[in-house]
Amino acid sequence: MSRLAAALAALALVPAAVRAQPEKKPDDVDAKTRAAIERAVEKAKEDLRNEVRAELQGAQSAAEFLGAVAPGPKLEFFEVDGYYRVRGQLFDHLNLGVGRDRSLRPLFPIPFDQAGEGRGTLATANMRLRLEPTMNVSEHVRVRAQVDVLDNHVLGSSTSNLYDDPNSPYPATFYGSSRVVAPGADPRLATPYVSPKRVWAEIQTPVGLLSFGRMPSEWGLGVLAHAGGGIDDDFGDTVDRIQFALPPVSTPIGRLVFVPMLDFDNEGALNRQPWAAAGAGQPFDAESGDDGRTYGLKVARLDTPDEVRRKIERAETSLNYGAYYDYRTQRYTYPDWNAAGFDADLAASTGTAAAVHRAAYVHVLDVWFRWLSARWRIEGELAGTYGSVGDPRSDPTQPAVPKLLLRQWGGALVVDYKVSPNRVTLGAEVGAASGDDAPGFGNVPAFGPQPFGSLEGAQWSATDRTLRNFRFNPAYRVDLVLFRQILGQVTDAMYLKPKLRWDIFPGLGLDVALVYSRALEKGSTPSVREDGTGGSNHLGLELDSTLTYTSGDGFQAWVQWGALQPLGGLEVQGRSPSRAHVLATGLAAKF
């Protein structure tokens, strides 16, 4: 207790002590007692004055040292101020219509598709997260900082190449779903030292939930879109998105949630502010014609985890379902920008950038359902794509080629049954992804077209103008060896996976699975001859096991072991493959 509190207590107790004495006439009060009480009161008053004076001096010192000291709740050790913003801007006719100066440059960058002297309009959007954290070490000591994340980062500028891979003449990522942040400039680094991947805001309004920024993308089982939020995950989808989730609407098939969204898939070529130093100022979109956009809509009937739990406790079932539709499009692309980035902006600003009329579009539809009861879980997802890439070239100086057609499908079905409600669960999973008989599976199309007998290779050529191999999201886990480590994704293949989970005791669980995998087209396997004959569809039989311990206070540990027995489809030029193993362990503290 402080001296101030002690003084106040003394002032309160002394009169009470006097009142507690037997009632006497004033003359009967002993002079010594009266004097002692008066001295105690005076001492308490003096202590109170000293304490108040000390408190005022401390407050004044704190104000001078720390700034303003405002009354409020108990001091928090960590506080964060700042903001996150997303801006949209339209630049119209900033070149002033005066043409080019003597150095043949416009006063302000003009759109690539408007190289003349007419009116030019540019539109762009960017973001910034500014963090100003404060760490209050004590009432008189604090540490503050200012950190900018994705400072003036143009939406769509580093999520992916979408339709163009600068290392390959193949529009691989057009129909892929994994989108990555661009790495740092140091070629010796696989990933940058600091990689801000997601920053977004959620605003609850009276008519729905508004979300905007760089956010995770998730849907259903994760065959198409997977956020990769697990401790052991290596991949996950991140998109520059603006979406609005409307309140549930009553329909004949249940209460549905509608979520329209706009994805900035690829902003294409960018410009620097002409008068700003490199790395400073605000980059902006150089032209709207090369922008890759996705216009999407999710419609779902979805129970929250709490709603599912309450239904199960009432011996009811939970039925959830929905559809996820995307329309992706891009009209043009500038290969020089894709290869050199801002190093190519000088040529672009003088109107010499060469464009490819990409004329790409795709419709993506993914349907999902889940049925849950006290013992059963049945969940499935099926996705398909339909579209085309009008001009797939990455070099406009090369001869024109016919357009590519996109025709892919893929899906998975999971069934689990709890033999013992709290101990043993039996289950099975089956999945498949479309493909064709082109050499290689197509998970690494950057290798380009390859001869028969190759494990990987582009799935189109001068005579094959249809892309049929659907690729599962790399964050979707099937096994530990073949699809996770060797192939990377499920494509041009199917698998069957019986599995078992044993909850040995609370916090300790064992998962065991047997995975049989088979290529849909044996021409994609490395076992075929150079002329495309022979070979086998059977890829492998794999046994996987994972022992996981999870404490109640954030600690998690796991051990994994997988063994792949390769079958005839993984033979290479008549050489029989041998068994492969994976052993992995992990420790994690989750907060």
Side-chain angles (χ1 to χ4, degrees):
M1 182 181 295
S2 67
R3 296 193 303 273
L4 177 59
L8 293 174
L11 288 177
L13 291 175
V14 169
V18 175
R19 291 193 300 269
Q21 297 294 327
E23 188 176 352
K24 297 182 181 180
K25 295 180 181 181
D27 294 339
D28 296 335
V29 178
D30 185 79
K32 292 183 179 180
T33 301
R34 185 184 297 111
I37 293 174
E38 291 175 353
R39 287 195 300 270
V41 171
E42 288 299 325
K43 185 177 185 304
K45 290 180 179 180
E46 183 63 23
D47 290 341
L48 178 60
R49 285 192 293 268
N50 292 336
E51 187 69 22
V52 170
R53 187 180 299 111
E55 292 289 341
L56 292 175
Q57 291 173 349
Q60 183 177 358
S61 298
E64 292 175 354
F65 179 61
L66 298 175
V69 179
K74 183 180 178 181
L75 184 69
E76 297 291 339
F77 169 74
F78 186 79
E79 299 176 352
V80 178
D81 295 318
Y83 62 84
Y84 170 67
R85 78 178 182 213
V86 172
R87 301 187 299 184
Q89 294 167 317
L90 182 71
F91 301 145
D92 180 55
H93 202 50
L94 268 64
N95 62 323
L96 305 183
V98 296
R100 303 172 184 271
D101 62 13
R102 290 185 180 273
S103 64
L104 300 181
R105 293 185 178 87
L107 300 186
F108 190 86
I110 57 178
F112 292 163
D113 58 349
Q114 299 178 23
E117 314 300 343
R119 193 178 196 90
T121 301
L122 297 171
T124 190
N126 59 64
M127 70 176 79
R128 170 192 282 167
L129 172 67
R130 170 155 291 176
L131 301 176
E132 295 179 335
T134 300
M135 285 155 283
N136 297 296
V137 180
S138 69
E139 291 184 350
H140 304 295
V141 179
R142 63 183 180 182
V143 177
R144 304 180 66 181
Q146 183 183 88
V147 180
D148 285 348
V149 179
L150 299 176
D151 186 21
N152 282 333
H153 201 84
V154 176
L155 297 184
S157 62
S158 66
T159 46
S160 74
N161 292 314
L162 191 62
Y163 309 107
D164 300 281
D165 185 341
N167 299 316
S168 169
Y170 180 73
T173 53
F174 174 66
Y175 64 97
S177 58
S178 179
R179 308 171 189 184
V180 298
V181 176
D186 190 342
R188 297 170 297 177
L189 294 176
T191 57
Y193 288 118
V194 179
S195 178
K197 294 183 177 180
R198 298 169 181 169
V199 181
W200 79 97
E202 296 181 346
I203 312 300
Q204 185 66 56
T205 73
V207 292
L209 179 66
L210 173 65
S211 303
F212 53 90
R214 182 162 293 186
M215 63 184 70
S217 180
E218 183 89 48
W219 174 255
L221 284 169
V223 169
L224 179 70
H226 197 302
I231 289 180
D232 194 32
D233 285 346
D234 299 313
F235 301 95
D237 289 349
T238 301
V239 293
D240 287 351
R241 172 176 292 173
I242 300 174
Q243 71 177 26
F244 193 81
L246 298 169
V249 177
S250 296
T251 72
I253 59 173
R255 292 179 60 81
L256 300 179
V257 174
F258 292 82
V259 186
M261 63 192 71
L262 170 64
D263 288 356
F264 297 78
D265 296 306
N266 189 351
E267 201 65 10
L270 304 178
N271 270 322
R272 292 189 179 101
Q273 289 173 311
W275 41 266
Q282 173 194 312
F284 53 90
D285 189 13
E287 184 208 326
S288 60
D290 66 341
D291 296 347
R293 293 288 184 266
T294 294
Y295 306 90
L297 177 67
K298 291 181 181 179
V299 181
R301 163 71 176 88
L302 184 63
D303 289 333
T304 66
D306 285 341
E307 290 173 331
V308 172
R309 177 182 54 80
R310 289 194 295 268
K311 286 184 176 181
I312 298 302
E313 290 174 350
R314 296 195 301 264
E316 299 177 357
T317 61
S318 171
L319 177 61
N320 299 263
Y321 47 85
Y324 178 17
Y325 170 75
D326 277 348
Y327 174 71
R328 300 177 184 172
T329 181
Q330 185 184 41
R331 291 184 295 160
Y332 291 89
T333 186
Y334 291 90
D336 289 344
W337 166 265
N338 293 326
F342 280 109
D343 291 337
D345 68 352
L346 179 60
S349 66
T350 58
T352 59
V356 171
H357 188 199
R358 182 65 76 217
Y361 78 93
V362 65
H363 301 276
V364 182
L365 179 63
D366 187 307
V367 293
W368 162 82
F369 78 93
R370 184 184 66 192
W371 183 79
L372 299 173
S373 70
R375 289 184 178 269
W376 287 94
R377 171 202 171 203
I378 303 176
E379 186 170 3
E381 181 179 348
L382 179 63
T385 65
Y386 179 92
S388 68
V389 180
D391 188 346
R393 292 178 301 163
S394 293
D395 184 353
T397 64
Q398 297 297 316
V401 295
K403 70 178 180 181
L404 294 177
L405 303 180
L406 306 175
R407 307 288 190 267
Q408 301 120 10
W409 59 267
L413 177 66
V414 179
V415 178
D416 291 333
Y417 175 73
K418 294 183 179 180
V419 178
S420 173
N422 299 317
R423 298 293 297 275
V424 178
T425 300
L426 298 177
E429 178 179 342
V430 61
S434 63
D436 57 29
D437 58 359
F441 282 95
N443 278 320
V444 192
F447 290 166
Q450 300 294 318
F452 282 106
S454 303
L455 181 67
E456 284 295 349
Q459 299 298 285
W460 68 281
S461 63
T463 58
D464 182 3
R465 309 306 300 170
T466 303
L467 292 172
R468 299 187 183 277
N469 70 307
F470 181 91
R471 294 187 292 173
F472 272 37
N473 193 294
Y476 187 84
R477 297 285 184 79
V478 173
D479 56 21
L480 297 176
V481 185
L482 180 62
F483 291 116
R484 182 174 179 181
Q485 301 296 341
I486 298 176
L487 295 180
Q489 296 166 271
V490 178
T491 188
D492 199 346
M494 59 83 62
Y495 64 90
L496 179 63
K497 177 182 176 181
K499 57 183 180 176
L500 176 146
R501 177 173 176 83
W502 177 26
D503 291 303
I504 303 171
F505 57 77
L508 183 64
L510 175 66
D511 292 277
V512 179
L514 185 66
V515 185
Y516 164 72
S517 53
R518 173 187 175 90
L520 297 185
E521 297 285 347
K522 63 181 179 181
S524 299
T525 71
S527 64
V528 297
R529 302 185 185 97
E530 290 188 21
D531 60 359
T533 62
S536 171
N537 295 82
H538 304 286
L539 296 177
L541 192 63
E542 180 173 333
L543 178 63
D544 296 328
S545 60
T546 301
L547 182 66
T548 305
Y549 171 72
T550 303
S551 70
D553 56 358
F555 173 70
Q556 185 169 328
W558 64 91
V559 178
Q560 297 174 326
W561 174 73
L564 170 66
Q565 177 58 54
L567 301 177
L570 293 178
E571 291 183 356
V572 178
Q573 298 183 15
R575 296 192 300 270
S576 298
S578 57
R579 188 176 300 119
H581 301 266
V582 165
L583 177 64
T585 62
L587 301 172
K590 189 176 181 180
F591 54 91

